[in-house]
Every structure is written in C-alpha cells, then in structure tokens.
C-alpha cells in the first residue's frame, strides 16, 4: 500500500472518497463545504449510518462528482472518542477498499478534529496499512490486493513527516506479523537469524549470530540446555543500530524466540499445541523494531538480542531434575522443561548487561499461560525494577493503544523461585502468580540495570477471547513494535 498526501480537493478523481461522521451528527467531517449535486440522497445515507462506531456505508455517486464512490465511516459518540478511534475506523475503511478490489482510495482529514491532524494522519496510515495485511503466503490462490491510499489534508512539513514515520513503523508491524506467522517447519532459529542478517545488510546494522558450539563455550547454559533437544540448533541473534554518539550507552531490547514450544520432556497436551508456533513472537517484535529503528535512522544506540531455540522432546533433551548453569554463573534446577523461556531469556539478559552496560533493558516474551488467566488477551503483563522507566512506557502504551498492566515484584516473589538444591528453580510455587514468578526468575539475571519485562502471551496473536480489531487480523499482532517506537522517539 503506497501512501500519498494531497491538499483537500473535493473534486478529486478517485475510486472512493472517504470521510468520517460522528454519531448523531449530519456532517461528513471535512466535506461540510462540499457542494454535492446529490445532497438529498447523501443526507439520507448519513442518517442511515447514524455515525455508529466502525459502521460503514458506500454510496455510488452516479457520475455526479469526480469521485466514483463516497464512503462514510462512523466514529461513534464524540465523548467516547479515544486514541484508537481513527486507527480502528481507518482500518475498516481500508478493508472495505480491499474487498471492493479498488486500486486506490482517498481519505479526507478534517482540519478541525478532536485530535491534532498530525496524530490523525499517523493513525490513518497505521490503521490502513496494518488492516490490509493478510497472511496468505501458503495459499495457492491469493485473495488480497492492496489498494493505495491518498490522504487529503491541509499539507505541511509536519504532516508529511508524520506520514512518513507512520508508514515505516506500520511496515515494521506488518513485517513482524509476517515472520511471526510462519509455520514452525519453515521458521527455525537459523531462519530468524537469516532475517536479521538481511535487514542488517539493507540498513547498515551490525549483526552477529552466535551458534551452538560457541554458545556452549561462552557459558550460555540456558540457551544450550533448551536447544539441545532439537536438531534445529539454537542461535543467539544480535543486532546493533549505532545512531547515537559512539560512547553513549545503548538501550537493549531482548525477545524470546522459541520457534516451536512442545514443552520438551514436560510435554504439553496436544490441544492447541499448534499455537506454540507463536512462541517466537517476542523475538519477532524485536527484529521488527530493529528494522524500523534503522530505517528511521534514530539518533540513539539500540541493540536487539534474540535468543532463539526450538523446545523439543528427544534423546538429547534436557530433563526435569537437571541442574544447569546460566550465563551469569547462577545455577538453576529444572523442574519443568516447559518453563524454557525464562532460561533462554536469563542468558540473554545477563549477556546484555555484561556486554553493553545499557541504559535500560526491555524484554518481550510469550512467557506464561498464567498471564492470560490474570489479564486476558487484550492487555500485556508488565514487570519492572524501575518505576520511572515503567511509567514512561505506560505513557507510550496509552498513545499507541497497546495496553499493558504493571504487576508487582517484591522479595516475597523472589523467594518463590529459590531452589533447595541450586540457586534457583525454573518454576514458582504451584500456579500462584505464575507471571510474576517467571519475571522474578528473570530479575535474577540482571543486577541493577533499569528493566521492563513484557509478558505478551495473551496479546501476541489473536486467540479466542481477543477483541476483534481490523488492524489485528487472525494470527500474530506485532504487539510492542509501535509501543517501543513511540517510547524511543520520545526520549
Ligand atoms: N510459551 C509458554 C507460555 C504460553 C502458554 C504462552 C500458552 C501462551 C499460551 C511457556 O513456555 C510455558 O510453557 N510456560 C509454562 C510455565 C510453567 C511450566 C511454569 C506455562 O505457562 O504453563
Ligand atoms: Mn514452554
Ligand atoms: Zn514457551
């Protein structure tokens, strides 16, 4: 989907001219001054729509004006308008354009709106681009065409810049979804490593891949143990974007990339096991963020670290009862091989702190089923050792509508991952506070670097209880890409 910007022009030739309508209003925002020759029927259509949230009607214009069709999109009640309204409704518009198999369509951005036009255009771009994506790689017959979009708005330098940034970020989200949606037979740790190499080469990032033997030699005991059960060898993927001063400390992003999680010897039940192809979503989010960061040439230093393994049962798998040594030399008793994420993440977090002495570490992981029990499938769990950092990211989350909820972490939880026979154990106490005890395990991997952990088990892909949104079609959601880009652009 290509995005163009033009000044508002009511006589524009377009396959579909789209405008927004609030509930119980008879005005098409931005089109108020338009001199329709078909006013009565349009008036009736606005009435029919009633401005109901996310409802859409398409009206043929019968060659009375240069636009072939007019699309009216309901915004709902004015007092219910949120940071997501324009994004959501724009997504519906774009999906309509796609279903009508149009080559292009145009959306009018009213000069006076509830929110700043700069914000509106960003949300329109995000909503449209993210909503026309469909995972069709393995369909013999592809259904989707992607129409191009012209945004009609009172032009300015600021508007153009906002559109360009939103364009790149949305492409990053779509890229993240497209690699996260890959099936586990077609996406093993080496595949993700190759994706990282490709984007690094394109955008002049440093890329370092650490493979099995070297991981073992360097003491990455968690990644080595989890990875040893699969013939698809583990990789530690490291991407560096050096946009800042060379001695400025970086921000490190870490993402769990288990390309398939069977549970290992503590095998998962068969039901919905296929969904564990999404256990790489945290890593895909970090790769996607690094792609965007390098394309935007952000003037800061950012490192992406992605530990990637396949968790399989087999003759060489690690076992419950094993005691392993993590990268930071702490020993861990394995009580459940299905609690693999925290083991590979702990290695990556300790490595990040030791290697980069970062300003902050932010990690993304589909870490616990408990997070879905606690928060459901529309809010990510968040745990941190630093209130200031956490609050900054919560502010970003309000702007991008990628909802998060901060959970507590105190010493009582830290005690719950202590082992009788080793420094730690890889499970908590029964099922109590499973999301927090997993985070407590991770907390042991870093000393005092400001850190935020996101448990994205519920939000990384669409599940039964997921709220339907046009920009989150079935499959991976790319959760976290827009969130962290907002954060990084505002520091
Ligand atoms: N990848 C899973 C977590 C998960 C489960 C995410 C279901 C989304 C949906 C993780 O590796 C896991 O299996 N965690 C265990 C931990 C337990 C054994 C302590 C879990 O949540 O059951
Ligand atoms: Mn698991
Ligand atoms: Zn897992």
């Amino acid at each position: 989907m290509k995005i163009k910007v033009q000044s508002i022009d009511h006589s524009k030739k377009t396959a579909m001219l789209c405008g927004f309508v609030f509930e119980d209003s008879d005005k098409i925002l931005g089109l108020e001054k338009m001199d329709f020759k078909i006013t009565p029927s349009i008036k009736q259509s606005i009435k029919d729509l009633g401005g109901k949230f996310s409802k859409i009607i398409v009206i043929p214009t019968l060659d009375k004006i240069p636009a072939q069709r007019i699309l009216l999109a309901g915004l709902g009640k004015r007092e219910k308008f949120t940071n997501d309204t324009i994004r959501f409704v724009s997504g519906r518009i774009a999906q309509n354009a796609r279903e009508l198999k149009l080559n292009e369509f145009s959306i009018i951005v009213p000069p006076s709106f509830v929110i700043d036009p700069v914000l509106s255009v960003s949300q329109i771009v995000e909503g449209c681009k993210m909503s026309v994506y469909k995972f069709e790689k393995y369909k013999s017959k592809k259904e989707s065409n992607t129409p191009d979009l012209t945004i009609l708005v009172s032009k300015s330098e600021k508007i153009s810049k906002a559109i360009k940034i939103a364009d790149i970020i949305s492409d990053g989200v779509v890229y993240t979804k497209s690699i996260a949606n890959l099936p586990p037979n077609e996406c093993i740790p080496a595949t993700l490593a190759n994706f990282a190499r490709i984007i690094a080469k394109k955008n002049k990032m440093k890329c370092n891949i650490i493979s099995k033997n070297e991981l073992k030699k360097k003491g990455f005991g968690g990644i080595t143990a989890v990875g040893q059960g699969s013939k698809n060898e583990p990789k530690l993927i490291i991407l560096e974007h050096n946009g800042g001063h060379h001695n400025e400390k970086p921000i490190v992003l870490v993402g769990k990339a288990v390309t398939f999680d069977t549970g290992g010897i503590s095998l998962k039940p068969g039901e919905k096991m296929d969904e564990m192809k999404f256990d790489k979503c945290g890593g895909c989010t970090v790769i996607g963020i690094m792609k965007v960061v390098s394309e935007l040439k952000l003037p800061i230093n950012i490192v992406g670290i992605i530990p990637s393994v396949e968790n399989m049962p087999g003759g060489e798998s690690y076992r419950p009862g094993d005691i392993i040594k993590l990268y930071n030399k702490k020993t861990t008793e394995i009580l459940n091989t299905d609690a693999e994420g925290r083991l590979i993440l702990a290695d990556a977090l300790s490595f990040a702190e030791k290697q980069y002495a970062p300003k902050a570490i932010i990690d993304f992981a589909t870490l616990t089923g408990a997070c879905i029990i606690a928060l459901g499938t529309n809010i990510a769990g968040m745990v941190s050792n630093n209130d200031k950092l956490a609050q900054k990211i919560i502010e970003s989350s309000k702007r991008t509508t990628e909802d998060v909820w901060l959970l507590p972490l105190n010493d009582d939880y830290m005690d719950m991952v202590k082992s009788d026979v080793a420094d730690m154990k890889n499970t908590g106490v029964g099922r109590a506070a499973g999301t927090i005890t997993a985070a407590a395990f991770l907390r042991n991997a870093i000393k005092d670097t400001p850190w935020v952990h996101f448990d994205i088990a519920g939000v990384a892909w669409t599940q039964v209880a997921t709220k339907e949104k046009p920009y989150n079609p079935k499959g991976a959601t790319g959760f976290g890409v827009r969130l962290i880009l907002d954060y990084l652009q505002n520091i």
Side-chain angles (χ1 to χ4, degrees):
M1 173 181 272
K2 282 203 209 80
I3 313 274
K4 272 198 294 193
V5 207
Q6 280 181 12
S7 318
I8 297 188
D9 170 12
H10 296 149
S11 60
K12 184 181 161 50
K13 238 182 124 105
T14 175
M16 191 157 78
L17 187 61
C18 310
F20 300 105
V21 181
F22 272 114
E23 190 164 325
D24 302 324
S25 152
D26 58 358
K27 287 198 189 88
I28 309 174
L29 299 164
L31 281 182
E32 295 95 336
K33 290 196 202 112
M34 191 167 175
D35 177 25
F36 283 121
K37 299 199 176 74
I38 45 171
T39 304
S41 63
I42 300 249
K43 274 245 162 80
Q44 186 56 48
S45 299
I46 300 176
K47 248 196 182 152
D48 294 346
L49 179 73
K52 289 272 181 302
F53 177 72
S54 176
K55 286 272 181 308
I56 277 176
I57 49 168
V58 179
I59 316 160
T61 56
L62 309 173
D63 301 325
K64 297 262 165 74
I65 57 169
Q68 277 184 303
R69 304 167 184 79
I70 285 182
L71 178 150
L72 304 179
L75 291 176
K77 290 200 168 70
R78 221 170 238 278
E79 60 273 22
K80 283 209 159 174
F81 191 92
T82 72
N83 261 340
D84 202 41
T85 304
I86 294 288
R87 192 183 293 114
F88 194 108
V89 175
S90 301
R92 281 266 185 276
I93 295 176
Q95 287 178 340
N96 260 269
R98 185 187 63 196
E99 272 149 38
L100 288 167
K101 303 213 183 324
L102 306 183
N103 292 322
E104 53 78 34
F105 64 108
S106 309
I107 297 182
I108 295 204
V109 184
S112 64
F113 214 172
V114 184
I115 48 171
D116 187 335
V118 174
L119 251 182
S120 311
V121 293
S122 305
Q123 295 186 2
I124 287 172
V125 172
E126 288 174 6
C128 289
K129 280 215 147 189
M130 295 195 294
S131 303
V132 292
Y133 164 77
K134 236 185 197 174
F135 180 57
E136 293 194 307
K137 186 160 189 246
Y138 297 91
K139 291 265 194 193
S140 311
K141 255 202 191 141
K142 321 252 185 265
E143 286 169 36
S144 300
N145 64 312
T146 42
D148 292 335
L149 165 65
T150 305
I151 298 177
L152 300 171
V153 62
S154 114
K155 286 211 281 190
S156 72
E157 191 86 3
K158 262 185 164 172
I159 293 270
S160 301
K161 195 175 158 208
I163 290 178
K164 204 171 153 205
I165 292 173
D167 201 357
I168 293 174
I169 293 175
S170 311
D171 280 345
V173 177
V174 170
Y175 174 81
T176 300
K177 292 183 190 192
S178 69
I179 61 173
N181 280 329
L182 290 174
N185 59 330
E186 296 251 335
C187 186
I188 60 174
T191 323
L192 289 179
N194 274 334
F195 291 147
R197 279 195 195 97
I198 291 166
I199 61 164
K201 200 166 166 207
K202 245 194 205 154
N203 302 317
K204 301 198 177 73
M205 275 187 288
K206 254 198 184 158
C207 178
N208 185 20
I209 313 290
I210 308 182
S211 294
K212 185 178 174 176
N213 291 336
E214 208 184 333
L215 284 168
K216 194 166 180 184
K217 235 181 10 215
K218 290 195 164 144
F220 290 91
I223 301 174
T224 300
V226 180
Q228 74 196 29
S230 172
K231 74 173 186 5
N232 300 320
E233 296 180 358
K235 305 279 178 195
L236 183 64
I237 303 162
I238 304 158
L239 283 166
E240 281 183 35
H241 164 80
N242 294 310
H245 195 269
H246 65 89
N247 55 20
E248 177 200 296
K249 289 175 176 179
I251 289 173
V252 178
L253 309 171
V254 176
K256 169 182 173 182
V258 176
T259 59
F260 194 67
D261 181 13
T262 64
I265 296 299
S266 315
L267 192 63
K268 286 181 183 293
E271 198 193 342
K272 287 200 193 155
M273 200 203 271
D274 60 293
E275 291 193 1
M276 284 300 116
K277 69 178 176 188
F278 292 120
D279 213 18
K280 59 184 179 302
C281 282
C284 296
T285 287
V286 172
I287 296 177
I289 294 170
M290 294 308 290
K291 177 176 183 282
V292 175
V293 153
S294 58
E295 286 175 2
L296 289 178
K297 301 189 172 70
L298 289 191
I300 41 176
N301 298 331
I302 308 166
V303 180
I305 302 181
I306 301 106
S308 186
V309 296
E310 187 178 41
N311 188 21
M312 294 289 273
E316 295 183 39
S317 299
Y318 79 132
R319 322 154 188 77
D322 282 1
I323 295 176
I324 65 169
K325 193 184 266 179
L326 298 173
Y327 186 79
N328 66 357
K329 303 282 187 318
K330 287 189 187 173
T331 56
T332 293
E333 180 188 13
I334 306 301
L335 288 178
N336 191 321
T337 63
D338 197 10
E340 84 296 340
R342 63 197 76 184
L343 300 171
I344 68 169
L345 281 170
D347 275 0
L349 293 171
S350 305
F351 171 75
E353 188 174 54
K354 186 172 166 215
Q355 187 74 14
Y356 294 99
K359 266 193 237 169
I361 304 179
I362 304 168
D363 80 72
F364 287 91
T366 48
L367 203 60
T368 64
C371 194
I372 303 174
I373 305 299
L375 298 175
T377 49
N378 301 305
I379 301 185
M382 184 178 176
V383 178
S384 178
N385 63 358
N386 186 295
D387 273 343
K388 224 172 125 189
L389 177 64
Q391 286 314 320
K392 253 332 239 184
I393 298 183
I394 289 171
E395 281 171 29
S396 289
S397 126
K398 292 198 170 124
R399 287 191 287 265
T400 67
T401 330
E402 288 159 291
D403 294 335
V404 300
W405 196 261
L406 186 61
L407 300 167
L409 175 59
N410 64 24
D411 285 347
D412 292 342
Y413 295 108
M414 299 299 285
D415 289 344
M416 289 167 79
V417 292
K418 285 183 176 159
S419 159
D420 296 334
V421 293
D423 300 331
M424 295 182 284
K425 55 179 176 172
N426 81 330
T427 57
V429 179
R431 289 158 72 183
T435 301
I436 304 175
T437 53
F441 188 94
L442 300 181
R443 176 69 187 86
N444 275 295
I446 43 177
K447 294 186 182 116
D448 44 26
T449 305
W451 159 75
V452 166
H453 157 66
F454 287 103
D455 195 326
I456 56 170
V459 295
W461 71 95
T462 57
Q463 308 175 28
V464 271
T466 303
K467 179 185 159 70
E468 224 189 281
K469 294 179 177 184
Y471 59 78
N472 282 343
K474 260 193 191 145
T477 61
F479 184 99
V481 175
R482 290 183 300 112
L483 171 67
I484 295 306
L485 261 306
D486 184 282
Y487 166 70
L488 293 175
Q489 286 179 281
N490 284 295
I491 45 175

